[in-house]
PDB file of all heavy atoms in Angstrom:
ATOM      1  N   GLY K   1     -46.712  13.512  51.687  1.00  0.00           N
ATOM      2  CA  GLY K   1     -47.178  14.043  52.960  1.00  0.00           C
ATOM      3  C   GLY K   1     -46.186  15.024  53.520  1.00  0.00           C
ATOM      4  O   GLY K   1     -46.534  15.973  54.217  1.00  0.00           O
ATOM      5  N   GLU K   2     -44.880  14.816  53.238  1.00  0.00           N
ATOM      6  CA  GLU K   2     -43.842  15.729  53.707  1.00  0.00           C
ATOM      7  C   GLU K   2     -43.304  16.600  52.594  1.00  0.00           C
ATOM      8  O   GLU K   2     -42.808  17.697  52.851  1.00  0.00           O
ATOM      9  CB  GLU K   2     -42.681  14.924  54.295  1.00  0.00           C
ATOM     10  CG  GLU K   2     -43.041  14.130  55.528  1.00  0.00           C
ATOM     11  CD  GLU K   2     -41.895  13.275  56.018  1.00  0.00           C
ATOM     12  OE1 GLU K   2     -40.943  13.073  55.250  1.00  0.00           O
ATOM     13  OE2 GLU K   2     -41.946  12.819  57.161  1.00  0.00           O
ATOM     14  N   SER K   3     -43.386  16.134  51.360  1.00  0.00           N
ATOM     15  CA  SER K   3     -42.651  16.809  50.303  1.00  0.00           C
ATOM     16  C   SER K   3     -43.516  17.582  49.325  1.00  0.00           C
ATOM     17  O   SER K   3     -43.069  17.922  48.247  1.00  0.00           O
ATOM     18  CB  SER K   3     -41.824  15.780  49.524  1.00  0.00           C
ATOM     19  OG  SER K   3     -42.672  14.782  48.986  1.00  0.00           O
ATOM     20  N   THR K   4     -44.801  17.854  49.681  1.00  0.00           N
ATOM     21  CA  THR K   4     -45.604  18.726  48.857  1.00  0.00           C
ATOM     22  C   THR K   4     -44.884  20.067  48.733  1.00  0.00           C
ATOM     23  O   THR K   4     -44.146  20.464  49.621  1.00  0.00           O
ATOM     24  CB  THR K   4     -46.987  18.938  49.511  1.00  0.00           C
ATOM     25  OG1 THR K   4     -47.556  17.657  49.771  1.00  0.00           O
ATOM     26  CG2 THR K   4     -47.914  19.709  48.608  1.00  0.00           C
ATOM     27  N   GLN K   5     -45.122  20.759  47.635  1.00  0.00           N
ATOM     28  CA  GLN K   5     -44.384  22.000  47.397  1.00  0.00           C
ATOM     29  C   GLN K   5     -44.838  23.100  48.354  1.00  0.00           C
ATOM     30  O   GLN K   5     -45.479  24.073  47.977  1.00  0.00           O
ATOM     31  CB  GLN K   5     -44.567  22.439  45.939  1.00  0.00           C
ATOM     32  CG  GLN K   5     -44.007  21.446  44.948  1.00  0.00           C
ATOM     33  CD  GLN K   5     -42.511  21.228  45.147  1.00  0.00           C
ATOM     34  OE1 GLN K   5     -41.769  22.179  45.343  1.00  0.00           O
ATOM     35  NE2 GLN K   5     -42.078  19.986  45.106  1.00  0.00           N
ATOM     36  N   LYS K   6     -44.476  22.937  49.617  1.00  0.00           N
ATOM     37  CA  LYS K   6     -44.900  23.887  50.637  1.00  0.00           C
ATOM     38  C   LYS K   6     -44.072  25.172  50.612  1.00  0.00           C
ATOM     39  O   LYS K   6     -44.335  26.103  51.342  1.00  0.00           O
ATOM     40  CB  LYS K   6     -44.810  23.239  52.021  1.00  0.00           C
ATOM     41  CG  LYS K   6     -45.775  22.068  52.177  1.00  0.00           C
ATOM     42  CD  LYS K   6     -45.731  21.501  53.570  1.00  0.00           C
ATOM     43  CE  LYS K   6     -46.719  20.361  53.731  1.00  0.00           C
ATOM     44  NZ  LYS K   6     -46.728  19.792  55.073  1.00  0.00           N
ATOM     45  N   THR K   7     -43.047  25.204  49.781  1.00  0.00           N
ATOM     46  CA  THR K   7     -42.233  26.405  49.690  1.00  0.00           C
ATOM     47  C   THR K   7     -42.808  27.383  48.690  1.00  0.00           C
ATOM     48  O   THR K   7     -42.348  28.510  48.598  1.00  0.00           O
ATOM     49  CB  THR K   7     -40.807  26.028  49.264  1.00  0.00           C
ATOM     50  OG1 THR K   7     -40.878  25.287  48.048  1.00  0.00           O
ATOM     51  CG2 THR K   7     -40.137  25.184  50.322  1.00  0.00           C
ATOM     52  N   SER K   8     -43.785  26.979  47.914  1.00  0.00           N
ATOM     53  CA  SER K   8     -44.296  27.841  46.864  1.00  0.00           C
ATOM     54  C   SER K   8     -45.390  28.755  47.400  1.00  0.00           C
ATOM     55  O   SER K   8     -46.138  28.413  48.312  1.00  0.00           O
ATOM     56  CB  SER K   8     -44.851  26.998  45.711  1.00  0.00           C
ATOM     57  OG  SER K   8     -46.018  26.322  46.109  1.00  0.00           O
ATOM     58  N   PHE K   9     -45.502  29.928  46.779  1.00  0.00           N
ATOM     59  CA  PHE K   9     -46.559  30.861  47.150  1.00  0.00           C
ATOM     60  C   PHE K   9     -47.920  30.242  46.877  1.00  0.00           C
ATOM     61  O   PHE K   9     -48.871  30.441  47.622  1.00  0.00           O
ATOM     62  CB  PHE K   9     -46.407  32.167  46.367  1.00  0.00           C
ATOM     63  CG  PHE K   9     -47.552  33.119  46.570  1.00  0.00           C
ATOM     64  CD1 PHE K   9     -47.636  33.890  47.723  1.00  0.00           C
ATOM     65  CD2 PHE K   9     -48.568  33.223  45.628  1.00  0.00           C
ATOM     66  CE1 PHE K   9     -48.697  34.763  47.924  1.00  0.00           C
ATOM     67  CE2 PHE K   9     -49.628  34.080  45.817  1.00  0.00           C
ATOM     68  CZ  PHE K   9     -49.685  34.855  46.964  1.00  0.00           C
ATOM     69  N   ARG K  10     -48.006  29.457  45.774  1.00  0.00           N
ATOM     70  CA  ARG K  10     -49.281  28.851  45.406  1.00  0.00           C
ATOM     71  C   ARG K  10     -49.785  27.931  46.509  1.00  0.00           C
ATOM     72  O   ARG K  10     -50.968  27.919  46.833  1.00  0.00           O
ATOM     73  CB  ARG K  10     -49.131  28.069  44.104  1.00  0.00           C
ATOM     74  CG  ARG K  10     -50.447  27.467  43.622  1.00  0.00           C
ATOM     75  CD  ARG K  10     -50.221  26.603  42.385  1.00  0.00           C
ATOM     76  NE  ARG K  10     -51.475  26.039  41.914  1.00  0.00           N
ATOM     77  CZ  ARG K  10     -51.582  25.105  40.988  1.00  0.00           C
ATOM     78  NH1 ARG K  10     -50.487  24.619  40.436  1.00  0.00           N
ATOM     79  NH2 ARG K  10     -52.748  24.642  40.611  1.00  0.00           N
ATOM     80  N   TYR K  11     -48.866  27.131  47.096  1.00  0.00           N
ATOM     81  CA  TYR K  11     -49.289  26.224  48.157  1.00  0.00           C
ATOM     82  C   TYR K  11     -49.807  27.007  49.358  1.00  0.00           C
ATOM     83  O   TYR K  11     -50.900  26.738  49.874  1.00  0.00           O
ATOM     84  CB  TYR K  11     -48.143  25.316  48.606  1.00  0.00           C
ATOM     85  CG  TYR K  11     -48.456  24.629  49.918  1.00  0.00           C
ATOM     86  CD1 TYR K  11     -49.268  23.499  49.948  1.00  0.00           C
ATOM     87  CD2 TYR K  11     -48.007  25.149  51.129  1.00  0.00           C
ATOM     88  CE1 TYR K  11     -49.603  22.900  51.145  1.00  0.00           C
ATOM     89  CE2 TYR K  11     -48.338  24.555  52.331  1.00  0.00           C
ATOM     90  CZ  TYR K  11     -49.130  23.434  52.330  1.00  0.00           C
ATOM     91  OH  TYR K  11     -49.467  22.858  53.521  1.00  0.00           O
ATOM     92  N   VAL K  12     -49.004  27.965  49.828  1.00  0.00           N
ATOM     93  CA  VAL K  12     -49.386  28.720  51.027  1.00  0.00           C
ATOM     94  C   VAL K  12     -50.712  29.437  50.800  1.00  0.00           C
ATOM     95  O   VAL K  12     -51.615  29.406  51.640  1.00  0.00           O
ATOM     96  CB  VAL K  12     -48.279  29.719  51.415  1.00  0.00           C
ATOM     97  CG1 VAL K  12     -48.739  30.630  52.547  1.00  0.00           C
ATOM     98  CG2 VAL K  12     -47.020  28.979  51.828  1.00  0.00           C
ATOM     99  N   HIS K  13     -50.830  30.079  49.637  1.00  0.00           N
ATOM    100  CA  HIS K  13     -52.067  30.810  49.341  1.00  0.00           C
ATOM    101  C   HIS K  13     -53.257  29.861  49.287  1.00  0.00           C
ATOM    102  O   HIS K  13     -54.308  30.127  49.882  1.00  0.00           O
ATOM    103  CB  HIS K  13     -51.915  31.554  48.015  1.00  0.00           C
ATOM    104  CG  HIS K  13     -53.161  32.279  47.596  1.00  0.00           C
ATOM    105  ND1 HIS K  13     -54.112  31.701  46.775  1.00  0.00           N
ATOM    106  CD2 HIS K  13     -53.621  33.526  47.893  1.00  0.00           C
ATOM    107  CE1 HIS K  13     -55.101  32.550  46.593  1.00  0.00           C
ATOM    108  NE2 HIS K  13     -54.816  33.673  47.251  1.00  0.00           N
ATOM    109  N   SER K  14     -53.093  28.727  48.586  1.00  0.00           N
ATOM    110  CA  SER K  14     -54.203  27.788  48.423  1.00  0.00           C
ATOM    111  C   SER K  14     -54.616  27.159  49.749  1.00  0.00           C
ATOM    112  O   SER K  14     -55.809  27.044  50.054  1.00  0.00           O
ATOM    113  CB  SER K  14     -53.816  26.681  47.434  1.00  0.00           C
ATOM    114  OG  SER K  14     -53.562  27.217  46.158  1.00  0.00           O
ATOM    115  N   PHE K  15     -53.616  26.738  50.556  1.00  0.00           N
ATOM    116  CA  PHE K  15     -53.928  26.060  51.800  1.00  0.00           C
ATOM    117  C   PHE K  15     -54.634  26.993  52.780  1.00  0.00           C
ATOM    118  O   PHE K  15     -55.694  26.654  53.325  1.00  0.00           O
ATOM    119  CB  PHE K  15     -52.657  25.505  52.440  1.00  0.00           C
ATOM    120  CG  PHE K  15     -52.912  24.775  53.728  1.00  0.00           C
ATOM    121  CD1 PHE K  15     -53.358  23.465  53.725  1.00  0.00           C
ATOM    122  CD2 PHE K  15     -52.731  25.402  54.957  1.00  0.00           C
ATOM    123  CE1 PHE K  15     -53.609  22.788  54.906  1.00  0.00           C
ATOM    124  CE2 PHE K  15     -52.980  24.741  56.138  1.00  0.00           C
ATOM    125  CZ  PHE K  15     -53.415  23.427  56.114  1.00  0.00           C
ATOM    126  N   TYR K  16     -54.062  28.153  53.005  1.00  0.00           N
ATOM    127  CA  TYR K  16     -54.657  29.040  54.012  1.00  0.00           C
ATOM    128  C   TYR K  16     -55.907  29.734  53.492  1.00  0.00           C
ATOM    129  O   TYR K  16     -56.802  30.075  54.272  1.00  0.00           O
ATOM    130  CB  TYR K  16     -53.600  30.030  54.510  1.00  0.00           C
ATOM    131  CG  TYR K  16     -52.606  29.327  55.409  1.00  0.00           C
ATOM    132  CD1 TYR K  16     -51.383  28.887  54.929  1.00  0.00           C
ATOM    133  CD2 TYR K  16     -52.923  29.049  56.730  1.00  0.00           C
ATOM    134  CE1 TYR K  16     -50.489  28.193  55.753  1.00  0.00           C
ATOM    135  CE2 TYR K  16     -52.047  28.365  57.562  1.00  0.00           C
ATOM    136  CZ  TYR K  16     -50.836  27.937  57.060  1.00  0.00           C
ATOM    137  OH  TYR K  16     -49.974  27.254  57.875  1.00  0.00           O
ATOM    138  N   ASN K  17     -56.005  29.929  52.190  1.00  0.00           N
ATOM    139  CA  ASN K  17     -57.264  30.432  51.632  1.00  0.00           C
ATOM    140  C   ASN K  17     -58.371  29.409  51.830  1.00  0.00           C
ATOM    141  O   ASN K  17     -59.526  29.759  52.093  1.00  0.00           O
ATOM    142  CB  ASN K  17     -57.091  30.755  50.154  1.00  0.00           C
ATOM    143  CG  ASN K  17     -58.320  31.415  49.569  1.00  0.00           C
ATOM    144  OD1 ASN K  17     -58.753  32.469  50.026  1.00  0.00           O
ATOM    145  ND2 ASN K  17     -58.898  30.804  48.546  1.00  0.00           N
ATOM    146  N   ALA K  18     -58.027  28.112  51.719  1.00  0.00           N
ATOM    147  CA  ALA K  18     -59.013  27.059  51.957  1.00  0.00           C
ATOM    148  C   ALA K  18     -59.515  27.094  53.392  1.00  0.00           C
ATOM    149  O   ALA K  18     -60.703  26.856  53.654  1.00  0.00           O
ATOM    150  CB  ALA K  18     -58.401  25.692  51.635  1.00  0.00           C
ATOM    151  N   MET K  19     -58.618  27.387  54.334  1.00  0.00           N
ATOM    152  CA  MET K  19     -59.050  27.476  55.722  1.00  0.00           C
ATOM    153  C   MET K  19     -60.045  28.623  55.921  1.00  0.00           C
ATOM    154  O   MET K  19     -61.011  28.512  56.678  1.00  0.00           O
ATOM    155  CB  MET K  19     -57.827  27.694  56.635  1.00  0.00           C
ATOM    156  CG  MET K  19     -56.818  26.539  56.620  1.00  0.00           C
ATOM    157  SD  MET K  19     -57.519  24.910  57.053  1.00  0.00           S
ATOM    158  CE  MET K  19     -57.761  24.180  55.424  1.00  0.00           C
ATOM    159  N   LEU K  20     -59.806  29.732  55.210  1.00  0.00           N
ATOM    160  CA  LEU K  20     -60.729  30.861  55.299  1.00  0.00           C
ATOM    161  C   LEU K  20     -62.077  30.521  54.664  1.00  0.00           C
ATOM    162  O   LEU K  20     -63.133  30.896  55.181  1.00  0.00           O
ATOM    163  CB  LEU K  20     -60.115  32.086  54.611  1.00  0.00           C
ATOM    164  CG  LEU K  20     -58.880  32.681  55.282  1.00  0.00           C
ATOM    165  CD1 LEU K  20     -58.327  33.825  54.446  1.00  0.00           C
ATOM    166  CD2 LEU K  20     -59.210  33.181  56.685  1.00  0.00           C
ATOM    167  N   ILE K  21     -62.049  29.816  53.546  1.00  0.00           N
ATOM    168  CA  ILE K  21     -63.300  29.399  52.904  1.00  0.00           C
ATOM    169  C   ILE K  21     -64.102  28.507  53.848  1.00  0.00           C
ATOM    170  O   ILE K  21     -65.318  28.672  54.007  1.00  0.00           O
ATOM    171  CB  ILE K  21     -63.005  28.651  51.584  1.00  0.00           C
ATOM    172  CG1 ILE K  21     -62.403  29.603  50.555  1.00  0.00           C
ATOM    173  CG2 ILE K  21     -64.293  28.029  51.026  1.00  0.00           C
ATOM    174  CD1 ILE K  21     -61.926  28.908  49.291  1.00  0.00           C
ATOM    175  N   PHE K  22     -63.415  27.561  54.512  1.00  0.00           N
ATOM    176  CA  PHE K  22     -64.105  26.666  55.435  1.00  0.00           C
ATOM    177  C   PHE K  22     -64.728  27.452  56.591  1.00  0.00           C
ATOM    178  O   PHE K  22     -65.885  27.214  56.963  1.00  0.00           O
ATOM    179  CB  PHE K  22     -63.133  25.626  55.977  1.00  0.00           C
ATOM    180  CG  PHE K  22     -63.753  24.670  56.956  1.00  0.00           C
ATOM    181  CD1 PHE K  22     -64.541  23.619  56.510  1.00  0.00           C
ATOM    182  CD2 PHE K  22     -63.567  24.830  58.325  1.00  0.00           C
ATOM    183  CE1 PHE K  22     -65.132  22.736  57.414  1.00  0.00           C
ATOM    184  CE2 PHE K  22     -64.155  23.959  59.228  1.00  0.00           C
ATOM    185  CZ  PHE K  22     -64.940  22.915  58.769  1.00  0.00           C
ATOM    186  N   PHE K  23     -63.978  28.385  57.152  1.00  0.00           N
ATOM    187  CA  PHE K  23     -64.508  29.194  58.254  1.00  0.00           C
ATOM    188  C   PHE K  23     -65.732  29.996  57.801  1.00  0.00           C
ATOM    189  O   PHE K  23     -66.755  30.048  58.499  1.00  0.00           O
ATOM    190  CB  PHE K  23     -63.430  30.140  58.781  1.00  0.00           C
ATOM    191  CG  PHE K  23     -63.912  31.057  59.870  1.00  0.00           C
ATOM    192  CD1 PHE K  23     -64.001  30.614  61.179  1.00  0.00           C
ATOM    193  CD2 PHE K  23     -64.303  32.357  59.586  1.00  0.00           C
ATOM    194  CE1 PHE K  23     -64.461  31.456  62.187  1.00  0.00           C
ATOM    195  CE2 PHE K  23     -64.764  33.205  60.582  1.00  0.00           C
ATOM    196  CZ  PHE K  23     -64.845  32.745  61.886  1.00  0.00           C
ATOM    197  N   ASP K  24     -65.633  30.612  56.633  1.00  0.00           N
ATOM    198  CA  ASP K  24     -66.746  31.425  56.142  1.00  0.00           C
ATOM    199  C   ASP K  24     -67.982  30.575  55.864  1.00  0.00           C
ATOM    200  O   ASP K  24     -69.110  31.009  56.117  1.00  0.00           O
ATOM    201  CB  ASP K  24     -66.335  32.168  54.867  1.00  0.00           C
ATOM    202  CG  ASP K  24     -65.377  33.315  55.137  1.00  0.00           C
ATOM    203  OD1 ASP K  24     -65.277  33.736  56.308  1.00  0.00           O
ATOM    204  OD2 ASP K  24     -64.707  33.770  54.189  1.00  0.00           O
ATOM    205  N   ARG K  25     -67.788  29.352  55.367  1.00  0.00           N
ATOM    206  CA  ARG K  25     -68.922  28.482  55.039  1.00  0.00           C
ATOM    207  C   ARG K  25     -69.647  27.963  56.273  1.00  0.00           C
ATOM    208  O   ARG K  25     -70.872  27.808  56.260  1.00  0.00           O
ATOM    209  CB  ARG K  25     -68.441  27.290  54.206  1.00  0.00           C
ATOM    210  CG  ARG K  25     -68.260  27.585  52.729  1.00  0.00           C
ATOM    211  CD  ARG K  25     -67.620  26.405  52.011  1.00  0.00           C
ATOM    212  NE  ARG K  25     -68.369  25.164  52.176  1.00  0.00           N
ATOM    213  CZ  ARG K  25     -69.377  24.775  51.411  1.00  0.00           C
ATOM    214  NH1 ARG K  25     -69.785  25.550  50.416  1.00  0.00           N
ATOM    215  NH2 ARG K  25     -69.991  23.610  51.613  1.00  0.00           N
ATOM    216  N   HIS K  26     -68.898  27.710  57.348  1.00  0.00           N
ATOM    217  CA  HIS K  26     -69.493  26.968  58.457  1.00  0.00           C
ATOM    218  C   HIS K  26     -69.523  27.702  59.804  1.00  0.00           C
ATOM    219  O   HIS K  26     -70.308  27.319  60.676  1.00  0.00           O
ATOM    220  CB  HIS K  26     -68.756  25.644  58.638  1.00  0.00           C
ATOM    221  CG  HIS K  26     -68.830  24.741  57.448  1.00  0.00           C
ATOM    222  ND1 HIS K  26     -69.995  24.092  57.080  1.00  0.00           N
ATOM    223  CD2 HIS K  26     -67.893  24.406  56.525  1.00  0.00           C
ATOM    224  CE1 HIS K  26     -69.769  23.374  55.989  1.00  0.00           C
ATOM    225  NE2 HIS K  26     -68.512  23.542  55.631  1.00  0.00           N
ATOM    226  N   PHE K  27     -68.690  28.701  59.986  1.00  0.00           N
ATOM    227  CA  PHE K  27     -68.601  29.295  61.328  1.00  0.00           C
ATOM    228  C   PHE K  27     -68.748  30.813  61.369  1.00  0.00           C
ATOM    229  O   PHE K  27     -68.830  31.387  62.450  1.00  0.00           O
ATOM    230  CB  PHE K  27     -67.255  28.921  61.975  1.00  0.00           C
ATOM    231  CG  PHE K  27     -67.088  27.451  62.203  1.00  0.00           C
ATOM    232  CD1 PHE K  27     -66.171  26.725  61.454  1.00  0.00           C
ATOM    233  CD2 PHE K  27     -67.852  26.784  63.137  1.00  0.00           C
ATOM    234  CE1 PHE K  27     -66.018  25.360  61.648  1.00  0.00           C
ATOM    235  CE2 PHE K  27     -67.716  25.422  63.346  1.00  0.00           C
ATOM    236  CZ  PHE K  27     -66.797  24.706  62.594  1.00  0.00           C
ATOM    237  N   ARG K  28     -68.775  31.492  60.235  1.00  0.00           N
ATOM    238  CA  ARG K  28     -68.749  32.949  60.251  1.00  0.00           C
ATOM    239  C   ARG K  28     -69.967  33.535  60.961  1.00  0.00           C
ATOM    240  O   ARG K  28     -69.848  34.479  61.740  1.00  0.00           O
ATOM    241  CB  ARG K  28     -68.660  33.485  58.823  1.00  0.00           C
ATOM    242  CG  ARG K  28     -68.391  34.978  58.767  1.00  0.00           C
ATOM    243  CD  ARG K  28     -68.088  35.436  57.345  1.00  0.00           C
ATOM    244  NE  ARG K  28     -67.668  36.809  57.313  1.00  0.00           N
ATOM    245  CZ  ARG K  28     -67.274  37.423  56.197  1.00  0.00           C
ATOM    246  NH1 ARG K  28     -67.244  36.772  55.051  1.00  0.00           N
ATOM    247  NH2 ARG K  28     -66.907  38.685  56.235  1.00  0.00           N
ATOM    248  N   ARG K  29     -71.151  32.972  60.694  1.00  0.00           N
ATOM    249  CA  ARG K  29     -72.353  33.517  61.332  1.00  0.00           C
ATOM    250  C   ARG K  29     -72.333  33.286  62.829  1.00  0.00           C
ATOM    251  O   ARG K  29     -72.800  34.128  63.605  1.00  0.00           O
ATOM    252  CB  ARG K  29     -73.601  32.866  60.726  1.00  0.00           C
ATOM    253  CG  ARG K  29     -73.857  33.251  59.274  1.00  0.00           C
ATOM    254  CD  ARG K  29     -75.141  32.619  58.768  1.00  0.00           C
ATOM    255  NE  ARG K  29     -75.403  32.970  57.378  1.00  0.00           N
ATOM    256  CZ  ARG K  29     -76.446  32.527  56.680  1.00  0.00           C
ATOM    257  NH1 ARG K  29     -77.333  31.705  57.274  1.00  0.00           N
ATOM    258  NH2 ARG K  29     -76.614  32.884  55.428  1.00  0.00           N
ATOM    259  N   ARG K  30     -71.800  32.146  63.235  1.00  0.00           N
ATOM    260  CA  ARG K  30     -71.789  31.795  64.649  1.00  0.00           C
ATOM    261  C   ARG K  30     -70.737  32.581  65.426  1.00  0.00           C
ATOM    262  O   ARG K  30     -70.874  32.840  66.609  1.00  0.00           O
ATOM    263  CB  ARG K  30     -71.531  30.299  64.798  1.00  0.00           C
ATOM    264  CG  ARG K  30     -71.958  29.729  66.144  1.00  0.00           C
ATOM    265  CD  ARG K  30     -71.573  28.268  66.280  1.00  0.00           C
ATOM    266  NE  ARG K  30     -71.811  27.485  65.077  1.00  0.00           N
ATOM    267  CZ  ARG K  30     -71.406  26.228  64.933  1.00  0.00           C
ATOM    268  NH1 ARG K  30     -70.737  25.632  65.901  1.00  0.00           N
ATOM    269  NH2 ARG K  30     -71.660  25.569  63.820  1.00  0.00           N
ATOM    270  N   TYR K  31     -69.655  32.934  64.733  1.00  0.00           N
ATOM    271  CA  TYR K  31     -68.540  33.624  65.400  1.00  0.00           C
ATOM    272  C   TYR K  31     -68.214  34.926  64.670  1.00  0.00           C
ATOM    273  O   TYR K  31     -67.087  35.158  64.238  1.00  0.00           O
ATOM    274  CB  TYR K  31     -67.295  32.729  65.416  1.00  0.00           C
ATOM    275  CG  TYR K  31     -67.458  31.432  66.161  1.00  0.00           C
ATOM    276  CD1 TYR K  31     -67.759  30.257  65.477  1.00  0.00           C
ATOM    277  CD2 TYR K  31     -67.300  31.369  67.545  1.00  0.00           C
ATOM    278  CE1 TYR K  31     -67.906  29.051  66.151  1.00  0.00           C
ATOM    279  CE2 TYR K  31     -67.445  30.173  68.228  1.00  0.00           C
ATOM    280  CZ  TYR K  31     -67.743  29.017  67.519  1.00  0.00           C
ATOM    281  OH  TYR K  31     -67.885  27.835  68.186  1.00  0.00           O
ATOM    282  N   ARG K  32     -69.210  35.776  64.526  1.00  0.00           N
ATOM    283  CA  ARG K  32     -69.005  37.021  63.775  1.00  0.00           C
ATOM    284  C   ARG K  32     -67.930  37.902  64.391  1.00  0.00           C
ATOM    285  O   ARG K  32     -67.141  38.517  63.673  1.00  0.00           O
ATOM    286  CB  ARG K  32     -70.328  37.797  63.697  1.00  0.00           C
ATOM    287  CG  ARG K  32     -71.356  37.135  62.789  1.00  0.00           C
ATOM    288  CD  ARG K  32     -72.609  37.983  62.670  1.00  0.00           C
ATOM    289  NE  ARG K  32     -73.574  37.359  61.765  1.00  0.00           N
ATOM    290  CZ  ARG K  32     -74.762  37.877  61.494  1.00  0.00           C
ATOM    291  NH1 ARG K  32     -75.136  39.029  62.053  1.00  0.00           N
ATOM    292  NH2 ARG K  32     -75.570  37.252  60.654  1.00  0.00           N
ATOM    293  N   LEU K  33     -67.890  37.972  65.708  1.00  0.00           N
ATOM    294  CA  LEU K  33     -66.902  38.823  66.366  1.00  0.00           C
ATOM    295  C   LEU K  33     -65.489  38.296  66.172  1.00  0.00           C
ATOM    296  O   LEU K  33     -64.524  39.053  66.211  1.00  0.00           O
ATOM    297  CB  LEU K  33     -67.215  38.941  67.862  1.00  0.00           C
ATOM    298  CG  LEU K  33     -68.528  39.643  68.219  1.00  0.00           C
ATOM    299  CD1 LEU K  33     -68.730  39.641  69.731  1.00  0.00           C
ATOM    300  CD2 LEU K  33     -68.527  41.073  67.685  1.00  0.00           C
ATOM    301  N   LEU K  34     -65.373  36.995  65.961  1.00  0.00           N
ATOM    302  CA  LEU K  34     -64.049  36.393  65.784  1.00  0.00           C
ATOM    303  C   LEU K  34     -63.599  36.387  64.327  1.00  0.00           C
ATOM    304  O   LEU K  34     -62.438  36.063  64.044  1.00  0.00           O
ATOM    305  CB  LEU K  34     -64.063  34.944  66.286  1.00  0.00           C
ATOM    306  CG  LEU K  34     -64.051  34.735  67.800  1.00  0.00           C
ATOM    307  CD1 LEU K  34     -64.174  33.245  68.094  1.00  0.00           C
ATOM    308  CD2 LEU K  34     -62.778  35.289  68.418  1.00  0.00           C
ATOM    309  N   SER K  35     -64.490  36.753  63.415  1.00  0.00           N
ATOM    310  CA  SER K  35     -64.202  36.605  61.995  1.00  0.00           C
ATOM    311  C   SER K  35     -62.925  37.335  61.585  1.00  0.00           C
ATOM    312  O   SER K  35     -62.036  36.758  60.949  1.00  0.00           O
ATOM    313  CB  SER K  35     -65.381  37.109  61.166  1.00  0.00           C
ATOM    314  OG  SER K  35     -65.100  37.006  59.794  1.00  0.00           O
ATOM    315  N   LEU K  36     -62.817  38.601  61.937  1.00  0.00           N
ATOM    316  CA  LEU K  36     -61.641  39.394  61.553  1.00  0.00           C
ATOM    317  C   LEU K  36     -60.380  38.836  62.191  1.00  0.00           C
ATOM    318  O   LEU K  36     -59.327  38.750  61.550  1.00  0.00           O
ATOM    319  CB  LEU K  36     -61.835  40.857  61.951  1.00  0.00           C
ATOM    320  CG  LEU K  36     -60.690  41.803  61.564  1.00  0.00           C
ATOM    321  CD1 LEU K  36     -60.489  41.800  60.043  1.00  0.00           C
ATOM    322  CD2 LEU K  36     -60.976  43.219  62.055  1.00  0.00           C
ATOM    323  N   LEU K  37     -60.495  38.437  63.473  1.00  0.00           N
ATOM    324  CA  LEU K  37     -59.331  37.897  64.178  1.00  0.00           C
ATOM    325  C   LEU K  37     -58.872  36.587  63.542  1.00  0.00           C
ATOM    326  O   LEU K  37     -57.663  36.368  63.381  1.00  0.00           O
ATOM    327  CB  LEU K  37     -59.692  37.667  65.656  1.00  0.00           C
ATOM    328  CG  LEU K  37     -58.566  37.140  66.555  1.00  0.00           C
ATOM    329  CD1 LEU K  37     -57.405  38.119  66.589  1.00  0.00           C
ATOM    330  CD2 LEU K  37     -59.089  36.884  67.965  1.00  0.00           C
TER     331      LEU K  37
END
């Protein structure tokens, strides 16, 4: 929980890319103006 390889580019890319995937799947149509932000 604390010691996942959070220093690696792979972790940062995977984690925050997942957040973008979630937003696009569930909220993009509802919040189109906020999408870019």
Side-chain angles (χ1 to χ4, degrees):
E2 296 176 344
S3 58
T4 306
Q5 297 300 316
K6 295 184 178 181
T7 55
S8 69
F9 173 78
R10 183 185 181 190
Y11 166 80
V12 173
H13 177 268
S14 297
F15 181 81
Y16 287 98
N17 186 59
M19 297 304 99
L20 293 176
I21 293 173
F22 179 78
F23 177 81
D24 287 343
R25 279 173 56 87
H26 299 289
F27 297 110
R28 190 171 187 176
R29 292 183 180 178
R30 200 185 318 172
Y31 299 97
R32 289 184 178 179
L33 295 178
L34 285 176
S35 178
L36 182 60
L37 182 61

